[in-house]
mmCIF file of all heavy atoms in Angstrom:
data_model
loop_
_atom_site.group_PDB
_atom_site.id
_atom_site.type_symbol
_atom_site.label_atom_id
_atom_site.label_comp_id
_atom_site.label_asym_id
_atom_site.label_seq_id
_atom_site.Cartn_x
_atom_site.Cartn_y
_atom_site.Cartn_z
ATOM 1 N N VAL A 26 113.143 102.230 89.206
ATOM 2 C CA VAL A 26 113.506 103.592 89.614
ATOM 3 C C VAL A 26 112.503 104.109 90.673
ATOM 4 O O VAL A 26 111.374 104.295 90.359
ATOM 5 C CB VAL A 26 113.461 104.513 88.345
ATOM 6 C CG1 VAL A 26 113.880 105.977 88.708
ATOM 7 C CG2 VAL A 26 114.468 104.003 87.250
ATOM 8 N N GLY A 27 112.982 104.292 91.875
ATOM 9 C CA GLY A 27 112.135 104.588 93.008
ATOM 10 C C GLY A 27 111.971 103.275 93.789
ATOM 11 O O GLY A 27 111.227 102.358 93.378
ATOM 12 N N LEU A 28 112.609 103.235 94.975
ATOM 13 C CA LEU A 28 112.614 102.001 95.754
ATOM 14 C C LEU A 28 111.809 102.136 97.033
ATOM 15 O O LEU A 28 112.221 101.814 98.129
ATOM 16 C CB LEU A 28 114.076 101.624 96.043
ATOM 17 C CG LEU A 28 114.924 101.432 94.811
ATOM 18 C CD1 LEU A 28 116.387 101.187 95.223
ATOM 19 C CD2 LEU A 28 114.445 100.418 93.858
ATOM 20 N N GLY A 29 110.657 102.862 96.776
ATOM 21 C CA GLY A 29 109.763 102.945 98.015
ATOM 22 C C GLY A 29 108.781 101.793 98.122
ATOM 23 O O GLY A 29 109.115 100.706 97.696
ATOM 24 N N TRP A 30 107.578 102.036 98.599
ATOM 25 C CA TRP A 30 106.588 100.990 98.758
ATOM 26 C C TRP A 30 106.310 100.249 97.489
ATOM 27 O O TRP A 30 106.382 99.062 97.396
ATOM 28 C CB TRP A 30 105.354 101.503 99.398
ATOM 29 C CG TRP A 30 104.430 100.424 99.837
ATOM 30 C CD1 TRP A 30 104.491 99.714 100.988
ATOM 31 C CD2 TRP A 30 103.309 99.913 99.082
ATOM 32 N NE1 TRP A 30 103.464 98.765 100.933
ATOM 33 C CE2 TRP A 30 102.740 98.876 99.860
ATOM 34 C CE3 TRP A 30 102.748 100.205 97.821
ATOM 35 C CZ2 TRP A 30 101.659 98.135 99.416
ATOM 36 C CZ3 TRP A 30 101.704 99.449 97.400
ATOM 37 C CH2 TRP A 30 101.132 98.478 98.185
ATOM 38 N N ALA A 31 106.024 101.045 96.446
ATOM 39 C CA ALA A 31 105.607 100.380 95.170
ATOM 40 C C ALA A 31 106.775 99.688 94.555
ATOM 41 O O ALA A 31 106.704 98.479 94.074
ATOM 42 C CB ALA A 31 105.050 101.467 94.182
ATOM 43 N N GLY A 32 107.978 100.291 94.535
ATOM 44 C CA GLY A 32 109.155 99.701 93.932
ATOM 45 C C GLY A 32 109.519 98.424 94.641
ATOM 46 O O GLY A 32 109.749 97.369 93.967
ATOM 47 N N ILE A 35 105.724 96.083 95.215
ATOM 48 C CA ILE A 35 104.988 95.552 94.009
ATOM 49 C C ILE A 35 105.873 95.077 92.923
ATOM 50 O O ILE A 35 105.764 93.927 92.404
ATOM 51 C CB ILE A 35 104.076 96.766 93.353
ATOM 52 C CG1 ILE A 35 103.033 97.180 94.419
ATOM 53 C CG2 ILE A 35 103.402 96.293 92.083
ATOM 54 C CD1 ILE A 35 102.219 98.337 93.886
ATOM 55 N N VAL A 52 117.282 101.955 91.539
ATOM 56 C CA VAL A 52 117.767 103.338 91.566
ATOM 57 C C VAL A 52 116.920 104.161 92.576
ATOM 58 O O VAL A 52 115.669 104.178 92.522
ATOM 59 C CB VAL A 52 117.558 104.013 90.149
ATOM 60 C CG1 VAL A 52 118.268 105.384 90.145
ATOM 61 C CG2 VAL A 52 118.139 103.081 89.120
ATOM 62 N N ASP A 53 117.594 104.842 93.482
ATOM 63 C CA ASP A 53 116.947 105.692 94.366
ATOM 64 C C ASP A 53 117.940 106.579 94.993
ATOM 65 O O ASP A 53 119.053 106.099 95.358
ATOM 66 C CB ASP A 53 116.218 104.844 95.503
ATOM 67 C CG ASP A 53 115.136 105.658 96.250
ATOM 68 O OD1 ASP A 53 115.446 106.748 96.833
ATOM 69 O OD2 ASP A 53 113.961 105.161 96.190
ATOM 70 N N PRO A 54 117.689 107.939 95.184
ATOM 71 C CA PRO A 54 118.652 108.792 95.830
ATOM 72 C C PRO A 54 118.828 108.505 97.292
ATOM 73 O O PRO A 54 119.779 108.890 97.959
ATOM 74 C CB PRO A 54 118.046 110.203 95.579
ATOM 75 C CG PRO A 54 116.618 109.930 95.334
ATOM 76 C CD PRO A 54 116.538 108.637 94.696
ATOM 77 N N ASP A 55 117.866 107.787 97.809
ATOM 78 C CA ASP A 55 117.865 107.499 99.274
ATOM 79 C C ASP A 55 118.688 106.228 99.553
ATOM 80 O O ASP A 55 118.398 105.147 99.126
ATOM 81 C CB ASP A 55 116.373 107.263 99.750
ATOM 82 C CG ASP A 55 116.273 106.932 101.250
ATOM 83 O OD1 ASP A 55 117.340 106.808 101.878
ATOM 84 O OD2 ASP A 55 115.134 106.884 101.760
ATOM 85 N N ALA A 58 116.926 103.316 101.158
ATOM 86 C CA ALA A 58 116.037 102.508 100.186
ATOM 87 C C ALA A 58 117.023 101.536 99.404
ATOM 88 O O ALA A 58 116.658 100.355 99.267
ATOM 89 C CB ALA A 58 115.310 103.431 99.278
ATOM 90 N N PRO A 84 118.821 108.199 88.324
ATOM 91 C CA PRO A 84 118.348 107.475 87.072
ATOM 92 C C PRO A 84 119.065 108.029 85.882
ATOM 93 O O PRO A 84 119.085 107.325 84.825
ATOM 94 C CB PRO A 84 116.842 107.839 87.040
ATOM 95 C CG PRO A 84 116.599 108.816 88.113
ATOM 96 C CD PRO A 84 117.781 108.859 89.053
ATOM 97 N N ALA A 98 108.755 104.512 89.559
ATOM 98 C CA ALA A 98 107.756 104.536 90.747
ATOM 99 C C ALA A 98 108.279 105.527 91.758
ATOM 100 O O ALA A 98 108.637 105.168 92.888
ATOM 101 C CB ALA A 98 107.646 103.118 91.330
ATOM 102 N N VAL A 99 108.331 106.738 91.319
ATOM 103 C CA VAL A 99 108.788 107.847 92.236
ATOM 104 C C VAL A 99 107.517 108.711 92.551
ATOM 105 O O VAL A 99 106.501 108.526 92.025
ATOM 106 C CB VAL A 99 109.827 108.760 91.500
ATOM 107 C CG1 VAL A 99 111.078 107.883 91.066
ATOM 108 C CG2 VAL A 99 109.233 109.366 90.171
ATOM 109 N N PRO A 100 107.656 109.613 93.530
ATOM 110 C CA PRO A 100 106.576 110.464 93.913
ATOM 111 C C PRO A 100 106.008 111.193 92.630
ATOM 112 O O PRO A 100 106.729 111.523 91.763
ATOM 113 C CB PRO A 100 107.136 111.450 94.928
ATOM 114 C CG PRO A 100 108.246 110.667 95.624
ATOM 115 C CD PRO A 100 108.858 109.895 94.399
ATOM 116 N N ASN A 101 104.642 111.385 92.732
ATOM 117 C CA ASN A 101 103.956 111.912 91.508
ATOM 118 C C ASN A 101 104.547 113.029 90.790
ATOM 119 O O ASN A 101 104.626 113.112 89.567
ATOM 120 C CB ASN A 101 102.541 112.268 91.877
ATOM 121 C CG ASN A 101 101.705 111.036 92.432
ATOM 122 O OD1 ASN A 101 102.173 109.961 92.325
ATOM 123 N ND2 ASN A 101 100.549 111.313 92.892
ATOM 124 N N LEU A 103 107.424 113.971 90.288
ATOM 125 C CA LEU A 103 108.646 113.653 89.612
ATOM 126 C C LEU A 103 108.414 112.714 88.351
ATOM 127 O O LEU A 103 109.370 112.362 87.637
ATOM 128 C CB LEU A 103 109.711 113.039 90.518
ATOM 129 C CG LEU A 103 110.097 113.989 91.672
ATOM 130 C CD1 LEU A 103 111.016 113.137 92.645
ATOM 131 C CD2 LEU A 103 110.915 115.161 91.126
ATOM 132 N N HIS A 104 107.199 112.246 88.236
ATOM 133 C CA HIS A 104 106.855 111.200 87.172
ATOM 134 C C HIS A 104 107.397 111.675 85.843
ATOM 135 O O HIS A 104 108.145 111.009 85.181
ATOM 136 C CB HIS A 104 105.404 110.931 87.101
ATOM 137 C CG HIS A 104 104.924 109.952 88.137
ATOM 138 N ND1 HIS A 104 103.650 109.392 88.129
ATOM 139 C CD2 HIS A 104 105.550 109.473 89.252
ATOM 140 C CE1 HIS A 104 103.602 108.563 89.181
ATOM 141 N NE2 HIS A 104 104.713 108.563 89.856
ATOM 142 N N VAL A 107 111.353 112.535 85.527
ATOM 143 C CA VAL A 107 112.223 111.323 85.484
ATOM 144 C C VAL A 107 111.968 110.494 84.297
ATOM 145 O O VAL A 107 112.924 110.074 83.588
ATOM 146 C CB VAL A 107 111.973 110.507 86.775
ATOM 147 C CG1 VAL A 107 112.770 109.158 86.725
ATOM 148 C CG2 VAL A 107 112.455 111.284 88.029
ATOM 149 N N GLU A 121 104.456 104.622 86.551
ATOM 150 C CA GLU A 121 103.358 104.382 87.483
ATOM 151 C C GLU A 121 102.314 105.429 87.291
ATOM 152 O O GLU A 121 102.545 106.588 86.697
ATOM 153 C CB GLU A 121 103.901 104.490 88.924
ATOM 154 C CG GLU A 121 104.302 103.097 89.480
ATOM 155 C CD GLU A 121 103.037 102.281 89.768
ATOM 156 O OE1 GLU A 121 101.905 102.692 89.471
ATOM 157 O OE2 GLU A 121 103.187 101.114 90.212
ATOM 158 N N LYS A 122 101.122 105.228 87.848
ATOM 159 C CA LYS A 122 100.052 106.186 87.892
ATOM 160 C C LYS A 122 100.246 107.163 88.972
ATOM 161 O O LYS A 122 100.899 106.801 89.937
ATOM 162 C CB LYS A 122 98.690 105.562 87.869
ATOM 163 C CG LYS A 122 98.453 104.554 88.989
ATOM 164 C CD LYS A 122 98.430 104.794 90.367
ATOM 165 C CE LYS A 122 98.126 105.709 91.383
ATOM 166 N NZ LYS A 122 98.423 105.400 92.704
ATOM 167 N N PRO A 123 99.729 108.394 88.942
ATOM 168 C CA PRO A 123 99.257 109.010 87.715
ATOM 169 C C PRO A 123 100.339 109.426 86.728
ATOM 170 O O PRO A 123 101.394 109.963 87.244
ATOM 171 C CB PRO A 123 98.604 110.290 88.359
ATOM 172 C CG PRO A 123 99.328 110.553 89.568
ATOM 173 C CD PRO A 123 99.795 109.277 90.111
ATOM 174 N N ALA A 186 103.644 107.324 103.243
ATOM 175 C CA ALA A 186 104.915 107.451 102.450
ATOM 176 C C ALA A 186 105.632 108.791 102.840
ATOM 177 O O ALA A 186 106.193 109.415 101.973
ATOM 178 C CB ALA A 186 104.637 107.484 100.930
ATOM 179 N N TRP A 189 104.282 112.730 101.370
ATOM 180 C CA TRP A 189 104.160 113.407 100.012
ATOM 181 C C TRP A 189 102.711 113.198 99.447
ATOM 182 O O TRP A 189 102.231 114.002 98.672
ATOM 183 C CB TRP A 189 105.206 113.005 99.126
ATOM 184 C CG TRP A 189 105.249 111.577 98.556
ATOM 185 C CD1 TRP A 189 106.027 110.631 98.943
ATOM 186 C CD2 TRP A 189 104.429 111.120 97.515
ATOM 187 N NE1 TRP A 189 105.766 109.508 98.216
ATOM 188 C CE2 TRP A 189 104.823 109.757 97.329
ATOM 189 C CE3 TRP A 189 103.377 111.680 96.635
ATOM 190 C CZ2 TRP A 189 104.214 108.930 96.350
ATOM 191 C CZ3 TRP A 189 102.827 110.843 95.710
ATOM 192 C CH2 TRP A 189 103.219 109.494 95.595
ATOM 193 N N PHE A 190 102.048 112.045 99.731
ATOM 194 C CA PHE A 190 100.776 111.719 99.200
ATOM 195 C C PHE A 190 99.741 112.830 99.541
ATOM 196 O O PHE A 190 98.735 112.953 98.823
ATOM 197 C CB PHE A 190 100.300 110.359 99.637
ATOM 198 C CG PHE A 190 100.620 109.231 98.792
ATOM 199 C CD1 PHE A 190 101.709 108.338 99.155
ATOM 200 C CD2 PHE A 190 99.994 109.006 97.555
ATOM 201 C CE1 PHE A 190 102.069 107.290 98.326
ATOM 202 C CE2 PHE A 190 100.308 107.842 96.825
ATOM 203 C CZ PHE A 190 101.323 107.094 97.131
ATOM 204 N N ASP A 203 94.951 109.516 92.992
ATOM 205 C CA ASP A 203 95.425 108.243 93.430
ATOM 206 C C ASP A 203 94.516 107.081 93.053
ATOM 207 O O ASP A 203 94.817 106.263 92.181
ATOM 208 C CB ASP A 203 95.651 108.250 94.929
ATOM 209 C CG ASP A 203 96.407 107.015 95.400
ATOM 210 O OD1 ASP A 203 97.268 106.514 94.747
ATOM 211 O OD2 ASP A 203 95.998 106.535 96.501
ATOM 212 N N HIS A 207 93.065 105.201 88.802
ATOM 213 C CA HIS A 207 92.914 103.754 88.577
ATOM 214 C C HIS A 207 91.518 103.515 87.932
ATOM 215 O O HIS A 207 91.322 102.749 87.081
ATOM 216 C CB HIS A 207 93.025 102.918 89.872
ATOM 217 C CG HIS A 207 94.431 102.662 90.352
ATOM 218 N ND1 HIS A 207 95.193 101.771 89.649
ATOM 219 C CD2 HIS A 207 95.099 103.064 91.357
ATOM 220 C CE1 HIS A 207 96.398 101.660 90.299
ATOM 221 N NE2 HIS A 207 96.316 102.477 91.348
ATOM 222 N N ARG A 243 100.302 99.986 104.557
ATOM 223 C CA ARG A 243 101.550 100.660 104.179
ATOM 224 C C ARG A 243 102.222 101.078 105.474
ATOM 225 O O ARG A 243 101.796 100.812 106.574
ATOM 226 C CB ARG A 243 101.233 101.831 103.314
ATOM 227 C CG ARG A 243 100.590 101.472 101.948
ATOM 228 C CD ARG A 243 100.376 102.755 101.258
ATOM 229 N NE ARG A 243 101.524 103.545 101.184
ATOM 230 C CZ ARG A 243 102.290 103.827 100.037
ATOM 231 N NH1 ARG A 243 101.852 103.372 98.903
ATOM 232 N NH2 ARG A 243 103.323 104.550 100.138
ATOM 233 N N ARG A 244 103.327 101.900 105.321
ATOM 234 C CA ARG A 244 103.920 102.423 106.533
ATOM 235 C C ARG A 244 102.878 103.431 107.120
ATOM 236 O O ARG A 244 102.569 104.442 106.546
ATOM 237 C CB ARG A 244 105.170 103.301 106.156
ATOM 238 C CG ARG A 244 106.301 102.467 105.647
ATOM 239 C CD ARG A 244 107.454 103.362 105.344
ATOM 240 N NE ARG A 244 107.106 104.289 104.280
ATOM 241 C CZ ARG A 244 107.421 104.064 102.990
ATOM 242 N NH1 ARG A 244 107.925 102.928 102.600
ATOM 243 N NH2 ARG A 244 107.102 104.925 102.123
ATOM 244 N N ASP A 263 114.914 117.626 91.817
ATOM 245 C CA ASP A 263 114.981 116.508 90.997
ATOM 246 C C ASP A 263 114.823 115.170 91.657
ATOM 247 O O ASP A 263 114.576 114.109 91.071
ATOM 248 C CB ASP A 263 116.413 116.431 90.229
ATOM 249 C CG ASP A 263 116.343 117.322 89.007
ATOM 250 O OD1 ASP A 263 115.214 117.691 88.622
ATOM 251 O OD2 ASP A 263 117.337 117.427 88.357
ATOM 252 N N THR A 264 114.994 115.234 93.007
ATOM 253 C CA THR A 264 114.714 114.012 93.745
ATOM 254 C C THR A 264 113.779 114.316 94.866
ATOM 255 O O THR A 264 113.530 115.533 95.175
ATOM 256 C CB THR A 264 115.966 113.460 94.336
ATOM 257 O OG1 THR A 264 116.494 114.403 95.255
ATOM 258 C CG2 THR A 264 117.012 113.147 93.264
ATOM 259 N N ASP A 265 113.294 113.318 95.420
ATOM 260 C CA ASP A 265 112.432 113.547 96.589
ATOM 261 C C ASP A 265 112.601 112.297 97.486
ATOM 262 O O ASP A 265 111.798 111.446 97.603
ATOM 263 C CB ASP A 265 110.916 113.516 96.086
ATOM 264 C CG ASP A 265 109.973 114.138 96.999
ATOM 265 O OD1 ASP A 265 110.437 114.415 98.129
ATOM 266 O OD2 ASP A 265 108.868 114.371 96.631
ATOM 267 N N SER A 266 113.750 112.195 98.051
ATOM 268 C CA SER A 266 114.155 110.930 98.728
ATOM 269 C C SER A 266 113.451 110.890 100.120
ATOM 270 O O SER A 266 112.960 111.877 100.593
ATOM 271 C CB SER A 266 115.655 110.983 98.987
ATOM 272 O OG SER A 266 115.998 111.946 99.943
ATOM 273 N N GLY A 267 113.456 109.698 100.615
ATOM 274 C CA GLY A 267 112.802 109.562 101.913
ATOM 275 C C GLY A 267 113.401 110.466 102.974
ATOM 276 O O GLY A 267 112.751 111.021 103.838
ATOM 277 N N LEU A 270 111.978 113.805 102.623
ATOM 278 C CA LEU A 270 110.615 113.754 103.096
ATOM 279 C C LEU A 270 110.511 113.818 104.637
ATOM 280 O O LEU A 270 109.671 114.564 105.188
ATOM 281 C CB LEU A 270 109.841 112.584 102.547
ATOM 282 C CG LEU A 270 109.732 112.481 101.045
ATOM 283 C CD1 LEU A 270 109.111 111.191 100.659
ATOM 284 C CD2 LEU A 270 108.825 113.632 100.544
ATOM 285 N N TYR A 361 99.064 92.347 89.055
ATOM 286 C CA TYR A 361 100.406 92.942 88.790
ATOM 287 C C TYR A 361 101.340 91.959 88.055
ATOM 288 O O TYR A 361 102.031 92.349 87.139
ATOM 289 C CB TYR A 361 100.997 93.443 90.111
ATOM 290 C CG TYR A 361 100.282 94.656 90.692
ATOM 291 C CD1 TYR A 361 99.212 94.314 91.526
ATOM 292 C CD2 TYR A 361 100.498 95.912 90.332
ATOM 293 C CE1 TYR A 361 98.508 95.397 92.085
ATOM 294 C CE2 TYR A 361 99.822 96.954 90.840
ATOM 295 C CZ TYR A 361 98.776 96.726 91.692
ATOM 296 O OH TYR A 361 98.064 97.735 92.211
HETATM 297 N N1 NAD B 501 100.011 100.887 90.774
HETATM 298 C C1 NAD B 501 99.781 100.859 92.034
HETATM 299 O O1 NAD B 501 98.926 100.130 92.479
HETATM 300 C C2 NAD B 501 100.528 101.751 92.915
HETATM 301 C C3 NAD B 501 100.527 101.514 94.303
HETATM 302 C C4 NAD B 501 101.293 102.306 95.154
HETATM 303 C C5 NAD B 501 101.916 103.371 94.658
HETATM 304 N N2 NAD B 501 101.863 103.576 93.260
HETATM 305 C C6 NAD B 501 102.592 104.782 92.654
HETATM 306 O O2 NAD B 501 103.952 104.531 92.768
HETATM 307 C C7 NAD B 501 104.671 105.787 92.980
HETATM 308 C C8 NAD B 501 105.543 105.634 94.208
HETATM 309 O O3 NAD B 501 104.740 105.385 95.351
HETATM 310 P P1 NAD B 501 105.269 104.788 96.704
HETATM 311 O O4 NAD B 501 104.170 104.522 97.547
HETATM 312 O O5 NAD B 501 106.237 103.746 96.428
HETATM 313 O O6 NAD B 501 106.076 106.102 97.285
HETATM 314 P P2 NAD B 501 107.295 106.070 98.184
HETATM 315 O O7 NAD B 501 107.418 107.424 98.769
HETATM 316 O O8 NAD B 501 107.251 104.936 99.189
HETATM 317 O O9 NAD B 501 108.577 105.774 97.272
HETATM 318 C C9 NAD B 501 109.042 106.698 96.307
HETATM 319 C C10 NAD B 501 110.576 106.442 96.235
HETATM 320 O O10 NAD B 501 111.040 107.258 95.138
HETATM 321 C C11 NAD B 501 112.336 107.685 95.536
HETATM 322 N N3 NAD B 501 112.746 108.810 94.637
HETATM 323 C C12 NAD B 501 112.482 110.141 94.760
HETATM 324 N N4 NAD B 501 113.057 110.781 93.739
HETATM 325 C C13 NAD B 501 113.699 109.890 92.935
HETATM 326 C C14 NAD B 501 114.407 110.043 91.743
HETATM 327 N N5 NAD B 501 114.612 111.148 91.166
HETATM 328 N N6 NAD B 501 114.883 108.818 91.221
HETATM 329 C C15 NAD B 501 114.668 107.630 91.835
HETATM 330 N N7 NAD B 501 113.946 107.538 92.961
HETATM 331 C C16 NAD B 501 113.448 108.611 93.516
HETATM 332 C C17 NAD B 501 112.180 108.113 96.969
HETATM 333 O O11 NAD B 501 113.407 108.177 97.662
HETATM 334 C C18 NAD B 501 111.356 106.920 97.436
HETATM 335 O O12 NAD B 501 112.169 105.874 97.905
HETATM 336 C C19 NAD B 501 103.560 106.805 93.145
HETATM 337 O O13 NAD B 501 103.485 107.558 91.968
HETATM 338 C C20 NAD B 501 102.338 106.061 93.426
HETATM 339 O O14 NAD B 501 101.191 106.705 92.877
HETATM 340 C C21 NAD B 501 101.227 102.791 92.430
#
Side-chain angles (χ1 to χ4, degrees):
V26 179
L28 305 176
W30 189 83
I35 297 180
V52 189
D53 200 301
D55 182 353
V99 298
N101 295 352
L103 297 172
H104 278 191
V107 170
E121 265 291 0
K122 52 63 39 182
W189 71 258
F190 269 103
D203 186 41
H207 279 290
R243 295 180 51 113
R244 294 181 295 270
D263 273 353
T264 65
D265 200 354
S266 71
L270 296 174
Y361 292 89

